[in-house]
Amino acid sequence: MKMKHLIFLILVVFGTGLATAQVQFDAKVSKKRLGINERLRVDFEMNQDGDNFRPPSFDGFRVVGGPNQSISNSWINGKRSFSKTYSYFLAPQTRGKITIAQATIEIEGETYKTLPVEVEVTAAVDVPKDGNNADYVASENVHLVAEVSKANPYLNEAITVTYKLYVSHDVSITSQWREIDTPKYADFWSQNIDNQNNFKVYEGKYNGQDYRYVVLRTTVLYPQKTGELEIEPLTLDIPIDVQGNRRDIFGRRVMERVNKTISAGKRTINVKPLPLEGKPDGFNGAVGDFTFDVNTNKTQLNANESLQLDVKVSGKGNLKLFTLPTVKLPNTIEVYEPEHSESVSTTIGGMSGSITDSYTVVPQFKGTYPVNPITFSFFDPKTEKYRTITSKEFTIEVENGPISSATANTNSNDAKKQVVLSKDNFKYIKLDANLKPIAEESFFKSPLFWSLLGGPFLLIPLFILAGKKRKERLNDVEGNKLRRANKLAKKYLSEAKRNIQNPTAFYESLERALHNYLKAKLNIETSEMEKGLISKMLLERNVEAPTVESFISLLKSCEFARYASSSTASVQQDYSKAVEVISNIDKQID
């Protein structure tokens, strides 16, 4: 009977050991589909305690909370139940399908990984109402609005989109917001009116309530297509201070900071085509209110002298989006390609100023040349009619110079016959004379002769010295190894060096460079890059312990930079340290 009890006890203990040996390490998300203005909770759960927990990089998200650690350990009917959880709260940075990579942990010397989790981030969604919820209070008291000056403009008529941020008196914004989704303005010519971050606070109304607001940006748009066109939303990440439920020792409510993603929403405008009725033949797409002028700096000159003829359009409208009419002059006047100049400024009302085509005109023969009137047509959206402006006719008087053959024939009855020249006035000038100097210097015994003769002898010592230097360099094994190591380090760290003025981008590039270097040297995957394993493998390859510690310190700096800002000085120090560490490893590793 005692033997039966003993066998039963052994089976129970063995079965319990098998049960506890089954390790579970899972990643769970609060939702698989969320809006860009919502938050996602990610829990990494395990049923046994472990060490060296490493979260994924959370690409596509910003960590707004965590890691929060919770442990549950209980005994029920003699059975132990253990659970340990690391929780993170994430804010999506972009729309689309985003994969949360694997997390790793060590349990009893073994490394365990979670499975990747894919979530879908959609456009901004409505937030459930909860007066005690700080997120809801923030979303109800801060609004981003896109105001369009005209919803049904004509093609190429200016409209203005003004982005206003409304903030109620119940919350406050004390930190700078950040753009996470900037409109692209497809099918529009666009230009932003820069306020140089000088935000003036105004008092206004939003849905009948008193609000403060600032004008974040004003954008001038000229639609380039007809029909319904969409203006993409501007999306911001804004830190908002909200009154929380906790109170201080004086009974005042403590402010709680909430990061909200707020979108202005899409706007649709209906662009009307320009009317066909009354459209002039020479119309080239000008829309606005303009004046037109053709003038010259002089009307009397001699042949082969030049004058400047300007074709100028001034006013308000799409000045940069059409071409000026061309000037046509007689064939006996040489006209060069015009020089285009613009004096245009863009304000809230659109483009205004002037554009000019300046022609250089050179008459070749004596005579009187009329410049025919030039017409310019444009559509005025205020009157919804086309207008045509015609320039004045004027003449160019060429007083002195040869006459053309046509003019000579008309004057053949004159008592004094004029000299007639062809179009090629300078044909008689010989351009290639093939002249030779009278006294030629002999090459023999000249300075060039002695230079060519003695030059090679002077170069021999230089070649000998260069050969010795090259031989010494090749024999310097340690120096060559050091130079190769420094070159390799700078190769891996080239991307980090380009981002040295941006600490966040720098540490992301530095971490990738360190991982890529380990992949090349140790033949390991990114998922296996745990600090303890890296230290062990480097030490096994005869890398000195201080060098290994410096390498691990760099990896920790990269991880720390995800959650805390870094100064430019620390970035420079870490870059120099990375160059030195990679060079030392490359020299020491077997």
Side-chain angles (χ1 to χ4, degrees), residues 479-495:
N480 290 333
K481 192 171 183 180
L482 177 61
R483 284 187 286 273
R484 285 195 301 269
N486 288 335
K487 185 177 180 181
L488 179 65
K490 292 178 180 179
K491 173 184 174 184
Y492 277 99
L493 298 172
S494 59
E495 182 183 357

Side-chain angles (χ1 to χ4, degrees), residues 287-306:
V287 177
D289 187 9
F290 304 106
T291 59
F292 178 66
D293 188 25
V294 178
N295 57 66
T296 180
N297 61 342
K298 54 186 173 181
T299 57
Q300 293 183 346
L301 70 164
N302 296 326
N304 293 319
E305 291 183 355
S306 65

Side-chain angles (χ1 to χ4, degrees), residues 149-202:
S149 61
K150 192 172 185 179
N152 55 342
Y154 280 102
L155 180 70
N156 265 316
E157 181 184 1
I159 62 173
T160 303
V161 182
T162 304
Y163 295 96
K164 296 181 179 180
L165 181 65
Y166 286 88
V167 182
S168 76
H169 294 275
D170 297 329
V171 299
S172 61
I173 298 175
T174 56
S175 299
Q176 186 63 42
W177 52 80
R178 182 174 59 88
E179 289 189 18
I180 61 175
D181 197 359
T182 303
K184 300 299 187 298
Y185 303 118
D187 303 322
F188 292 92
W189 182 95
S190 63
Q191 181 167 334
N192 292 327
I193 308 299
D194 189 10
N195 57 12
Q196 299 179 348
N197 291 329
N198 295 324
F199 300 110
K200 183 178 179 181
V201 180
Y202 301 91

Side-chain angles (χ1 to χ4, degrees), residues 59-79:
D59 292 335
F61 293 90
R62 179 171 57 83
V63 178
V64 296
N68 299 330
Q69 179 178 325
S70 61
I71 297 176
S72 174
N73 192 5
S74 61
W75 291 84
I76 301 177
N77 296 328
K79 185 177 180 181

Side-chain angles (χ1 to χ4, degrees), residues 315-368:
K316 184 177 179 181
N318 60 336
L319 287 165
K320 296 183 180 181
L321 303 177
F322 63 85
T323 57
L324 292 170
T326 57
V327 174
K328 293 183 180 180
L329 296 174
N331 294 334
T332 53
I333 295 181
E334 188 173 0
V335 182
Y336 292 90
E337 287 293 324
E339 179 182 350
H340 185 78
S341 61
E342 297 178 351
S343 178
V344 180
S345 62
T346 305
T347 61
I348 296 177
M351 287 185 277
S352 61
S354 64
I355 57 174
T356 305
D357 280 349
S358 298
Y359 294 83
T360 299
V361 179
V362 181
Q364 300 294 314
F365 303 100
K366 179 180 178 181
T368 300

Side-chain angles (χ1 to χ4, degrees), residues 53-335:
F53 171 74
R54 295 188 62 193
S57 59
F58 298 118
D59 292 335
F61 293 90
R62 179 171 57 83
V63 178
V64 296
N68 299 330
Q69 179 178 325
S70 61
I71 297 176
S72 174
N73 192 5
S74 61
W75 291 84
I76 301 177
N77 296 328
K79 185 177 180 181
R80 180 175 180 263
S81 175
F82 177 86
S83 175
K84 186 176 182 180
T85 304
Y86 291 92
S87 300
Y88 290 83
F89 296 88
L90 311 177
Q93 300 294 289
T94 182
R95 286 181 286 177
K97 292 185 177 180
I98 306 176
T99 300
I100 299 175
Q102 295 175 310
T104 61
I105 195 168
E106 287 186 4
I107 299 177
E108 296 181 357
E110 296 290 334
T111 301
Y112 294 87
K113 306 176 185 177
T114 61
L115 294 176
V117 180
E118 184 178 80
V119 296
E120 183 179 1
V121 180
T122 64
V125 298
D126 293 333
V127 181
K129 295 182 178 181
D130 183 1
N132 295 321
N133 184 283
D135 283 349
Y136 170 72
V137 174
S139 63
E140 286 296 301
N141 288 275
V142 179
H143 308 276
L144 181 60
V145 178
E147 296 181 356
V148 180
S149 61
K150 192 172 185 179
N152 55 342
Y154 280 102
L155 180 70
N156 265 316
E157 181 184 1
I159 62 173
T160 303
V161 182
T162 304
Y163 295 96
K164 296 181 179 180
L165 181 65
Y166 286 88
V167 182
S168 76
H169 294 275
D170 297 329
V171 299
S172 61
I173 298 175
T174 56
S175 299
Q176 186 63 42
W177 52 80
R178 182 174 59 88
E179 289 189 18
I180 61 175
D181 197 359
T182 303
K184 300 299 187 298
Y185 303 118
D187 303 322
F188 292 92
W189 182 95
S190 63
Q191 181 167 334
N192 292 327
I193 308 299
D194 189 10
N195 57 12
Q196 299 179 348
N197 291 329
N198 295 324
F199 300 110
K200 183 178 179 181
V201 180
Y202 301 91
E203 294 289 337
K205 296 283 187 180
Y206 181 83
N207 289 339
Q209 301 294 324
D210 291 332
Y211 271 77
R212 299 162 293 167
Y213 73 90
V214 293
V215 177
L216 299 182
R217 177 188 299 168
T218 302
T219 304
V220 177
L221 303 176
Y222 285 85
Q224 302 298 293
K225 288 174 60 177
T226 59
E228 290 189 353
L229 302 182
E230 282 191 351
I231 299 176
E232 295 183 355
L234 172 67
T235 304
L236 305 177
D237 181 79
I238 305 177
I240 305 170
D241 295 329
V242 183
Q243 287 185 348
N245 296 324
R246 296 184 298 108
R247 297 180 181 272
D248 59 16
I249 59 174
F250 300 103
R252 295 172 300 188
R253 299 181 68 176
V254 178
M255 300 299 289
E256 178 180 350
R257 174 158 294 183
V258 178
N259 278 81
K260 293 295 296 181
T261 301
I262 299 179
S263 175
K266 291 183 179 180
R267 297 298 302 269
T268 302
I269 64 171
N270 187 15
V271 182
K272 299 180 292 186
L274 300 179
L276 297 177
E277 182 180 356
K279 184 176 182 180
D281 293 336
F283 178 72
N284 59 358
V287 177
D289 187 9
F290 304 106
T291 59
F292 178 66
D293 188 25
V294 178
N295 57 66
T296 180
N297 61 342
K298 54 186 173 181
T299 57
Q300 293 183 346
L301 70 164
N302 296 326
N304 293 319
E305 291 183 355
S306 65
L307 63 87
Q308 180 174 312
L309 189 148
D310 294 333
V311 179
K312 183 177 182 179
V313 171
S314 304
K316 184 177 179 181
N318 60 336
L319 287 165
K320 296 183 180 181
L321 303 177
F322 63 85
T323 57
L324 292 170
T326 57
V327 174
K328 293 183 180 180
L329 296 174
N331 294 334
T332 53
I333 295 181
E334 188 173 0
V335 182

Side-chain angles (χ1 to χ4, degrees), residues 401-468:
I403 62 172
S404 64
S405 57
T407 306
N409 291 333
T410 59
N411 298 332
S412 59
N413 295 329
D414 292 348
K416 186 176 180 180
K417 189 173 181 179
Q418 300 286 342
V419 178
V420 180
L421 299 178
S422 64
K423 292 183 179 179
D424 196 356
N425 294 335
F426 302 99
K427 187 175 181 181
Y428 62 90
I429 298 178
K430 188 174 183 180
L431 301 178
D432 187 9
N434 296 325
L435 301 176
K436 295 182 179 180
I438 296 175
E440 293 186 358
E441 184 180 355
S442 176
F443 172 72
F444 182 67
K445 293 185 179 181
S446 66
L448 179 61
F449 171 80
W450 292 115
S451 299
L452 294 176
L453 183 63
F457 296 99
L458 297 176
L459 293 175
I460 290 175
L462 295 178
F463 285 120
I464 294 174
L465 183 60
K468 289 183 178 180

